Amino acid sequence: MEAASLTDGTAAAALRAFVALLVVVALILATAWGVRRLRGGFVPAAGWFRVRAAHALGPRDRVMLVDAAGAHLLLSVGQNGVRVLHRYDDAPELPEAQAAMPFAERLARMRRGGE
C-alpha cells in the first residue's frame, strides 16, 4: 500500500510540474504577442516589398515609406486601413539615423538644468 501512495504522489508532482511549464510557456508567448502589438507588428520583409522607414504617430497609427514592386510609396497605416499619401517618382533620400543620447549623459544634462 505504501508503494501505491508513493506512485500517486510522484504522478501528482509530475502533473503539477507539467502544468507549471505550460503556464510559463503561455506567459512567454503572451508577452511576445503583446510586445509585437505595442510595436505595431513592424517587421521588415524581403522580396518585392520593403519597408524603408516607419514612424509611429500613435498606438495604432504610423507612417511608412515602402518600396513595393518598383513603386516608392508613403503610406498611412492605421486602424481604419492603409492609405497612399504620396507616390514618389524616384526613391527619396533618407537622412542618416542619429544615435540616441546615452541615458547617463541625458541625466547629467537634466541635473545641470540644460536641455
Side-chain angles (χ1 to χ4, degrees):
M1 197 140 199
E2 187 176 320
S5 65
L6 181 62
T7 305
D8 292 341
T10 304
L15 181 63
R16 280 196 306 269
F18 182 71
V19 169
L21 179 64
L22 287 179
V23 168
V24 168
V25 169
L27 284 173
I28 290 171
L29 292 175
T31 301
W33 176 81
V35 167
R36 193 169 165 94
R37 286 284 294 171
L38 289 176
R39 286 185 354 127
F42 171 65
V43 177
W48 63 273
F49 182 84
R50 189 180 88 160
V51 177
R52 294 190 57 207
H55 182 74
L57 301 174
R60 295 184 180 179
D61 301 322
R62 64 182 55 245
V63 175
M64 301 173 80
L65 181 61
V66 300
D67 293 338
H72 309 288
L73 307 170
L74 182 64
L75 303 176
S76 168
V77 181
Q79 65 190 53
N80 293 332
V82 178
R83 291 193 176 154
V84 177
L85 298 177
H86 187 73
R87 292 177 196 269
Y88 293 95
D89 294 330
D90 297 322
E93 294 294 322
L94 296 177
E96 292 292 323
Q98 296 178 352
M101 184 184 308
F103 177 76
E105 186 178 331
R106 182 174 290 206
L107 183 62
R109 275 192 180 179
M110 289 177 65
R111 285 185 176 171
R112 286 182 291 194
E115 194 178 353

